[in-house]
Amino acid sequence: MLRVGLGALFGAAAGVFAAAGWLLIAGGAGLGATLLTIVALVGVGMVGGAVGGWLWAKRTPPMLPHYREQHLRLRQIAQQIRANLQQMTGLKSAYPELDEIVAKDADLRHKATRLRRQIEQQARRGLSWQDHLSAAFDALREGALGSLNRSEWTWRAYRAKLERELNALGRKLEQNHDPSMENTLQRAYRQKARELASFRNLERTLQTLENESTMITASVENLLMETIRLSAAPRSAAPRADLLLEPLREQIRAYEQAIDEIYRAPQQEDDDETLRLQR
């Protein structure tokens, strides 16, 4: 509703400017024609802005193709649930919980898309052909060479590189007998530990976002099955719609809590992971 209201406001403002321009061009028009034209331009601008804001609010934000496919499927399920609820109750209600849970899923997948691209870009920048070759040998030994997609391969190779470099610095620290090199090696080791901890934190954050999307999808699918089952029952035997929608409300609250935990103190998680790696 906020975007619709803002769209209407901006549209009305554009209508006012258009009316002012019309007055400059047709200054000799009668009072009645002038007022009618101003009202028409402002009204058209307001309606056009409101429609634009509504379309903007309903748009699917940018996301990766497989995320988009899953999200569009969720939208279809939500529409089916709305139709089932209306059939059960005989009332055409808005059911804002369905719109909100779909919007939360879109937000999650949009955030996951940006984070996935960030991780992959960071990993690609830090890899050499020797790192890819080393990752290929490791995957071949584990029998996972053909099961990794491009993103997973890049992340795996980059994570393995950071771990190798951290372990190599750790061995140098243990074997070092030169006091003048001690501080330099310790600084390099701490820096590499922070890099690895930060990368692992990004991976955990992405996994949390994807897990939340999975739980939202499962909750909506369960509600669909429940409404399908209840649609065949007599209307008097069906529970109230607000009771059926309570799991979605719980999922929305869980989403808010998960997002808050993800972005509340990422630096602290990095520091904790760094300390763990240094032990």
Side-chain angles (χ1 to χ4, degrees):
M1 290 300 296
L2 176 62
R3 289 176 179 174
V4 174
L6 288 175
L9 181 62
F10 287 128
V16 169
F17 283 113
W22 181 85
L23 287 174
L24 291 175
I25 295 172
L31 179 61
T34 299
L35 290 176
L36 182 62
T37 302
I38 292 174
V39 170
L41 289 174
V42 173
V44 168
M46 183 179 295
V47 172
V51 171
W54 182 81
L55 292 175
W56 179 259
K58 290 293 184 180
R59 90 195 194 289
T60 302
M63 59 184 71
L64 293 173
H66 68 283
Y67 286 155
R68 179 177 295 276
E69 180 181 349
Q70 294 164 354
H71 177 69
L72 292 178
R73 177 175 173 272
L74 187 72
R75 281 179 179 269
Q76 293 174 351
I77 294 176
Q79 291 173 358
Q80 183 61 53
I81 290 173
R82 181 177 281 106
N84 291 348
L85 289 173
Q86 290 174 356
Q87 178 182 346
M88 289 165 52
T89 62
L91 301 173
K92 289 189 176 181
S93 179
Y95 301 118
E97 294 87 352
L98 291 172
D99 294 328
E100 187 171 2
I101 201 72
V102 169
K104 299 301 186 190
D105 181 77
D107 184 56
L108 280 170
R109 297 187 190 279
H110 176 57
K111 284 183 169 65
T113 294
R114 290 190 301 178
L115 187 54
R116 205 173 252 280
R117 287 172 174 164
Q118 176 187 344
I119 294 172
E120 189 169 354
Q121 184 179 25
Q122 178 180 335
R124 282 203 306 268
R125 282 200 307 262
L127 289 173
S128 65
W129 67 268
Q130 294 97 329
D131 299 320
H132 283 288
L133 188 60
S134 177
F137 283 134
D138 291 340
L140 187 61
R141 284 199 306 267
E142 297 173 10
L145 189 59
S147 61
L148 299 173
N149 60 35
R150 179 182 174 184
S151 295
E152 291 170 343
W153 174 269
T154 304
W155 298 354
R156 180 191 179 101
Y158 186 65
R159 190 191 315 110
K161 174 191 177 180
L162 293 177
E163 291 171 350
R164 282 197 309 272
E165 292 176 345
L166 183 65
N167 293 334
L169 286 170
R171 288 192 297 270
K172 285 183 179 180
L173 266 173
E174 292 175 357
Q175 299 167 5
N176 178 58
H177 301 293
D178 184 356
S180 63
M181 290 292 295
E182 186 74 15
N183 288 337
T184 300
L185 288 173
Q186 285 182 351
R187 284 196 300 270
Y189 184 84
R190 286 195 294 268
Q191 176 61 33
K192 190 59 63 176
R194 281 193 292 269
E195 288 181 28
L196 180 56
S198 178
F199 187 74
R200 286 178 174 173
N201 185 56
L202 289 176
E203 290 185 305
R204 286 196 301 272
T205 301
L206 177 62
Q207 187 63 53
T208 301
L209 292 172
E210 292 183 337
N211 288 344
E212 284 297 314
S213 289
T214 299
M215 287 188 286
I216 283 177
T217 300
S219 180
V220 174
E221 287 176 342
N222 290 339
L223 180 57
L224 174 64
M225 298 305 297
E226 186 68 8
T227 57
I228 290 175
R229 183 182 68 82
L230 293 172
S231 294
R235 184 174 298 177
S236 58
R240 298 199 316 270
D242 60 329
L243 295 178
L244 288 173
L245 293 171
E246 181 58 30
L248 292 191
R249 299 190 193 98
E250 293 177 359
Q251 195 61 55
I252 290 170
R253 290 191 289 269
Y255 160 87
E256 300 290 352
Q257 181 180 355
I259 293 298
D260 180 64
E261 291 175 355
I262 286 173
Y263 295 105
R264 183 170 48 195
Q267 184 60 47
Q268 183 61 43
E269 293 184 8
D270 286 353
D271 293 343
D272 293 344
E273 180 70 8
T274 300
L275 290 173
R276 187 187 68 79
L277 291 169
Q278 290 176 348
R279 292 192 184 105

